[in-house]
Amino acid sequence: MNQIMPNNSKVSGHRSTLFSITLKPFLALVFILMISLGVKAENLVAVTTEQVKPLPADVALAKIWTYQQNLVAVDSRNNIWVFDQTTDKWDKKDASFQGIVKGAAISTDSTYLLMADPSTGWINRVESFGTNEQTQRYSMPQLPEPLKSAAASILDEKLFIVGTSAQGASKMLALDLSSDNGVWQNYPVWSGEGGLVTSVIAQTDKLQVTLKHEASTEEQMWQWLPKDGWQQRSTLQGNVIEGTARSMGQGHALYLATSADGSSVKVMSFQTITGAWAELERWDNHGTLAGTGWKKGILWVASANDQNGTQLGLAQVQSRQNLLSVTDWVILVVYLIAMLGMGLYFYLKQGQSSESNFFLGGRSIPFWAAGISIYASNASSISYIAVPAKAFATNWQYLMSNMILVLGLIFVAIWIVPLLRKLNLISVFHYLETRFHPSIRVISSILFIVFQLGGRMTVILYLPSLALSTVTGLDITMCILVMGFVTICYTVLGGMKAVIWTDVLQLFVMFGGTIFAIVFILMKLDGGTAEFISSAMADDKFKMVDFSFNLTDATIWGFLFLVFFDTVLTFPKDQVLMQRVFSTSSAKEAGRSMWTFSAIVIPGSAMFYLIGTALYVFYQANPGRMDPSLSLDATFPLFISAELPVGVTGLIIAGIFAAAMSTLSSILNSVATVSTVDFYEKWFKSSDEKTNLRFAEIITVVAGLIGIALALLLASYNVNSLLDVALELWGLLGGGFAGAYTLGMFTKRANWQGVIVGVTASFIVTFMAWTVDLVHPYFYMPLSVFVCIVVGYASSWFFPAPERLDGLTIYADPAKSKVHAADQ
């Protein structure tokens, strides 16, 4: 067996050759591109306007709103009209209102109308209104007091009304729509002077309210969050036109407003995270009266030229996809060819001569390469996209989990990793069989395979492909297929050596692209680094520590709990990570791989958070460069495609591919390993090594095809909600068996019967916690582990103590272990 040791001259030549055939040409191409940077400066969005057929000329429109993408209007005689888009005409419904419609709040299945008394004009009740083949209305609880003016919106299944009472006091009322016997509740309002409420909209987890003071040519923007209360965000130069405010995407609000002097009408977007306004379009004001959100923009109502009837117009936001240049395509293609080349290189150099080579790289991987691979496989494309989006939207609070993680990894490197490496395992689940019972190994192995294919691999393929497709025009199907098939090819060809060494290259691609993006943003800011730091600190974007005792939020206590139970005590649960540990030459080298991983975690994670904060400062200074229709997860891909120089865009997109492919290859190899070692070899004991290897190669291909198929299914049906539930359920189902490692390594009394009881109890408790939202989803896994440990250990005392423990706990001498690779 060829040994690859750090100080071996043969290995040095091997790495030099590898560098020459893959990394050197790639870096040379990047260097050439850096010499001639060209910054893109096209507008990201355009606003298109069109006329919409108005109501009949003899009908005076009084109020208009949107329900399930249909326009609904009420005329001055309280008749109801619905616009039929297929026939392009207004249909009068056989129904009418009793009272004056003053406002509307829309949910997915109903419209809630603010109704005023005709004699006073004050709002005194709400009607639930639905439009289908038969118009239906339902009575709601009476308002506790009449309001002179108000606007409404729906947030978290509550109907919020914000307005002014008959006495001139500002009011906010809320009604729980999920309750059949709800009553109106009073909520505190903003501090300072009151004002006329011109709009209320719900955006993600908050309410956005605009206020107009008498004789003022500007309006205040206030924000309300259930946990934090009221905060003044910004000022709008002009006045919001009635009914035209709407939420858009995950972080924008869209408004139609008159200019300060009333001479023009402008389409404005408000970035609810950065608090910045951007003017998207403007035209002369010809008597715009009201409007409503419709399709991808705002429909407005204006006086007709002949003073009879009204005119309707629609202003829609049109996103522009930033197509890749030829140079970007060249970069991406060169990268993909380099990945295939590495797999082919290892195949031609040594082939797959043994299971140890295919699964563990011959147990000869240098510790530093194994450590880098652990980080690269752990930092998937989701991290490359979702972490910057999280830092953009919030702060650095989640980085604290990684800082605490490093402390936990020190313990893992000293105690856990050497213990398991000395057992010469291939599948980490074999430990559960040796320490407890074969059934525990089988069930945990099945759960691992199902989650990796049905959850993790699918997400890693789908989400970055979706983000890239949205902003670059890359076909989502093509992204999934290319990443999937290239990864399958080099994983099958090169086995674990190809997986690890491509991880090393991919880490440099990821980090290189991220560092360039950060430097680029700092250079684009007028005040450079000083502006970046001052703006971020002013908005508390560097906040990392929350000392509150609240497990429903990401607090430092929650992270301590999480790291202790989800890393320190249960690190072996992840075959993907442990397989790299097993690929080193000795227990000492295995421990060093964890030290390498620890050294990369904080600076690596900090870079992803830093780019998110840099994006926040950049878009706060350049609000017009954002696309209001995109999700927050598309923030970094949008910046890559729209702002970075030609060629560098291709490099960083290659980085996103790299982040995905490093994790995908790790998953494929680990699934093939577990399928072969834990199932095939146990069922077909007479099979030879060549047959086992052939089975592993087939499983690698089949697993990859399953992941690709499921990702394409998500792309076709957009079943994101089911995906979220699947990931949460993994936290519930996986925690019990993770706790089994703790009972096995740290106790002498735990037995297989007690573990079964503990796992069952963990399922029940965590499922109940999930149904009532007891804790933040981040903590389902540690909660499940905690229950398994406590119940499993206590239950073990009701059954006989285990007999064979040599080398299986931290208390025994590992040298006495009788577990060998041949036992697999």
Side-chain angles (χ1 to χ4, degrees):
M1 184 181 300
N2 293 328
Q3 296 294 318
I4 303 181
M5 301 299 292
N7 297 321
N8 191 306
S9 59
K10 182 178 180 180
V11 176
S12 178
H14 160 71
R15 290 200 298 270
S16 177
T17 304
L18 187 64
F19 181 84
S20 297
I21 66 171
T22 57
L23 196 55
K24 276 187 176 179
F26 191 66
L27 293 178
L29 181 58
V30 173
F31 177 75
I32 293 172
L33 291 169
M34 297 284 283
I35 297 176
S36 54
L37 300 181
V39 181
K40 303 171 184 176
E42 304 94 334
N43 291 327
L44 296 187
V45 296
V47 175
T48 61
T49 59
E50 60 183 278
Q51 294 295 313
V52 178
K53 187 172 183 178
L55 274 73
D58 60 343
V59 175
L61 191 151
K63 192 69 180 177
I64 191 168
W65 64 89
T66 306
Y67 174 69
Q68 295 183 344
Q69 291 302 310
N70 295 311
L71 290 175
V72 183
V74 58
D75 63 23
S76 58
R77 298 180 180 179
N78 281 349
N79 297 309
I80 300 171
W81 299 76
V82 177
F83 183 65
D84 189 334
Q85 298 182 59
T86 58
T87 61
D88 194 34
K89 68 175 185 178
W90 288 89
D91 296 328
K92 184 179 179 182
K93 294 292 182 178
D94 186 20
S96 61
F97 285 109
Q98 299 299 317
I100 305 172
V101 180
K102 288 286 192 178
I106 316 299
S107 70
T108 54
D109 55 3
S110 189
T111 300
Y112 299 91
L113 301 176
L114 305 184
M115 304 300 298
D117 187 328
S119 62
T120 63
W122 291 355
I123 299 168
N124 60 2
R125 61 190 174 89
V126 175
E127 279 196 13
S128 175
F129 172 84
T131 306
N132 43 39
E133 292 301 320
Q134 293 183 345
T135 304
Q136 298 176 327
R137 299 196 303 276
Y138 306 93
S139 61
M140 305 281 288
Q142 193 84 2
L143 293 181
E145 61 179 304
L147 302 175
K148 290 195 295 184
S149 63
S153 190
I154 297 170
L155 177 67
D156 293 336
E157 294 190 86
K158 288 184 179 181
L159 172 63
F160 287 90
I161 300 178
V162 186
T164 306
S165 69
Q167 292 74 33
S170 298
K171 293 286 183 178
M172 183 164 76
L173 305 173
L175 178 68
D176 188 350
L177 300 176
S178 63
S179 173
D180 293 332
N181 300 311
V183 295
W184 290 101
Q185 292 182 320
N186 275 290
Y187 279 73
V189 295
W190 53 93
S191 59
E193 295 183 42
L196 178 66
V197 175
T198 56
S199 72
V200 177
I201 61 170
Q203 175 55 273
T204 311
D205 59 348
K206 61 182 75 72
L207 292 178
Q208 303 286 153
V209 178
T210 54
L211 296 175
K212 178 184 178 181
H213 294 280
E214 188 176 354
S216 175
T217 59
E218 62 182 27
E219 295 191 7
Q220 295 178 353
M221 165 70 74
W222 285 81
Q223 173 182 286
W224 180 79
L225 287 99
K227 291 191 304 180
D228 302 330
W230 290 96
Q231 176 189 7
Q232 186 173 354
R233 295 301 309 279
S234 184
T235 300
L236 169 65
Q237 298 297 319
N239 299 121
V240 174
I241 296 172
E242 179 187 345
T244 62
R246 63 164 299 177
S247 61
M248 198 167 192
Q250 291 181 315
H252 278 85
L254 211 59
Y255 297 85
L256 200 64
T258 59
S259 59
D261 60 5
S263 63
S264 59
V265 174
K266 51 187 179 179
V267 180
M268 302 290 293
S269 71
F270 178 74
Q271 222 300 319
T272 61
I273 295 171
T274 63
W277 290 94
E279 182 178 315
L280 305 181
E281 188 60 87
R282 181 191 289 252
W283 58 83
D284 292 339
N285 186 6
H286 299 294
T288 304
L289 306 172
T292 185
W294 190 40
K295 294 185 178 180
K296 295 182 179 180
I298 298 173
L299 178 130
W300 75 88
V301 181
S303 301
N305 293 332
D306 58 5
Q307 302 302 314
N308 293 320
T310 53
Q311 290 181 326
L312 300 182
L314 176 63
Q316 292 196 82
V317 174
Q318 300 294 327
S319 302
R320 181 181 63 80
Q321 291 182 323
N322 306 284
L323 302 179
L324 298 184
S325 68
V326 174
T327 306
D328 294 323
W329 277 110
V330 170
I331 287 276
L332 193 55
V333 170
V334 168
Y335 166 75
L336 294 173
I337 292 174
M339 295 301 99
L340 290 173
M342 291 184 73
L344 182 61
Y345 170 79
F346 284 110
Y347 179 77
L348 294 176
K349 183 176 177 62
Q350 62 183 29
Q352 299 303 340
S353 56
S354 68
E355 290 181 64
S356 178
N357 270 334
F358 188 79
F359 298 140
L360 301 173
R363 295 194 192 271
S364 57
I365 301 297
F367 73 87
W368 58 267
I372 289 175
S373 183
I374 291 173
Y375 179 85
S377 62
N378 201 47
S380 67
S381 54
I382 299 174
S383 302
Y384 206 81
I385 292 174
V387 172
K390 187 71 176 177
F392 173 84
T394 57
N395 48 43
W396 289 28
Q397 215 162 306
Y398 281 85
L399 180 61
M400 181 55 64
S401 67
N402 289 325
M403 299 181 73
I404 297 174
L405 172 65
V406 170
L407 299 177
L409 290 176
I410 295 173
F411 178 86
V412 170
I414 295 174
W415 291 97
I416 298 177
V417 165
L419 167 69
L420 294 172
R421 176 61 186 86
K422 289 178 181 178
L423 297 176
N424 287 327
L425 302 173
I426 293 179
S427 165
V428 73
F429 303 112
H430 184 235
Y431 173 83
L432 296 180
E433 175 179 349
T434 307
R435 176 66 175 83
F436 295 116
H437 195 273
S439 62
I440 298 177
R441 175 183 184 178
V442 169
I443 297 173
S444 58
S445 297
I446 291 173
L447 279 175
F448 169 80
I449 293 172
V450 170
F451 173 67
Q452 296 298 324
L453 296 183
R456 194 178 179 194
M457 184 176 179
T458 306
V459 175
I460 289 165
L461 275 170
Y462 171 66
L463 291 184
S465 298
L466 177 63
L468 289 174
S469 173
T470 301
V471 300
T472 67
L474 286 172
D475 183 70
I476 186 171
T477 300
M478 186 200 73
C479 288
I480 292 171
L481 292 175
V482 168
M483 282 193 290
F485 282 118
V486 171
T487 307
I488 290 172
C489 288
Y490 78 71
T491 304
V492 169
L493 287 172
M496 179 54 81
K497 286 184 179 178
V499 170
I500 288 180
W501 289 110
T502 52
D503 281 353
V504 173
L505 172 60
Q506 287 163 342
L507 185 76
F508 286 103
V509 174
M510 282 191 289
F511 282 0
T514 305
I515 291 171
F516 183 92
I518 294 170
V519 173
F520 183 85
I521 290 177
L522 296 178
M523 293 175 64
K524 293 291 290 183
L525 295 174
D526 293 337
T529 305
E531 179 184 348
F532 165 70
I533 295 175
S534 61
S535 297
M537 292 187 67
D539 293 335
D540 211 15
K541 300 300 288 184
F542 292 130
K543 178 183 177 182
M544 282 195 295
V545 183
D546 182 351
F547 288 103
S548 63
F549 291 92
N550 182 4
L551 283 182
T552 61
D553 287 330
T555 67
I556 189 171
W557 311 113
F559 290 138
L560 285 168
F561 182 73
L562 175 70
V563 169
F564 183 70
F565 286 99
D566 195 31
T567 300
V568 173
L569 298 182
T570 62
F571 187 82
K573 67 182 179 295
D574 192 342
Q575 171 71 19
V576 173
L577 301 183
M578 290 304 300
Q579 207 161 325
R580 279 135 188 80
V581 171
F582 297 155
S583 69
T584 56
S585 60
S586 66
K588 184 177 181 180
E589 292 289 285
R592 287 178 175 177
S593 71
M594 295 307 303
W595 289 108
T596 303
F597 175 38
S598 302
I600 302 174
V601 165
I602 293 179
S605 301
M607 274 197 293
F608 292 128
Y609 282 91
L610 190 62
I611 186 62
T613 304
L615 289 169
Y616 173 88
V617 177
F618 176 82
Y619 284 120
Q620 189 178 56
N622 303 276
R625 301 297 296 161
M626 291 205 77
D627 187 338
S629 65
L630 296 182
S631 68
L632 291 179
D633 282 339
T635 304
F636 191 26
L638 171 68
F639 176 83
I640 293 168
S641 62
E643 308 297 341
L644 291 179
V646 170
V648 179
T649 297
L651 171 65
I652 301 187
I653 289 179
I656 295 177
F657 273 57
M661 292 165 66
S662 64
T663 308
L664 292 175
S665 62
S666 302
I667 292 172
L668 291 178
N669 192 266
S670 296
V671 168
T673 300
V674 171
S675 300
T676 304
V677 174
D678 288 353
F679 297 101
Y680 185 78
E681 292 182 10
K682 292 176 70 67
W683 294 338
F684 301 96
K685 297 182 183 298
S686 61
S687 62
D688 57 23
E689 192 166 40
K690 183 177 180 181
T691 304
N692 295 341
L693 280 172
R694 181 63 59 190
F695 176 79
E697 292 170 350
I698 293 172
I699 287 297
T700 301
V701 175
V702 171
L705 294 178
I706 291 173
I708 291 171
L710 291 175
L712 291 175
L713 184 67
L714 285 181
S716 300
Y717 294 99
N718 196 27
V719 286
N720 295 25
S721 58
L722 293 180
L723 195 60
D724 293 338
V725 172
L727 293 175
E728 288 187 4
L729 286 176
W730 165 248
L732 307 180
L733 298 176
F737 288 102
Y741 287 101
T742 307
L743 291 171
M745 292 184 298
F746 296 100
T747 73
K748 295 181 179 181
R749 191 61 181 79
N751 48 46
W752 71 268
Q753 298 96 330
V755 167
I756 292 295
V757 175
V759 168
T760 303
S762 74
F763 287 171
I764 296 172
V765 171
T766 50
F767 182 79
M768 293 174 61
W770 176 64
T771 57
V772 298
D773 293 327
L774 180 65
V775 296
H776 192 281
Y778 211 59
F779 304 126
Y780 288 143
M781 175 71 80
L783 174 63
S784 182
V785 170
F786 176 75
V787 173
C788 177
I789 293 172
V790 173
V791 176
Y793 185 75
S795 301
S796 294
W797 288 92
F798 294 95
F799 303 97
E803 297 179 358
R804 182 187 178 188
L805 291 177
D806 287 346
L808 299 177
T809 71
I810 63 173
Y811 308 106
D813 181 7
K816 297 179 180 179
S817 174
K818 299 178 182 180
V819 183
H820 301 286
D823 295 334
Q824 306 289 322

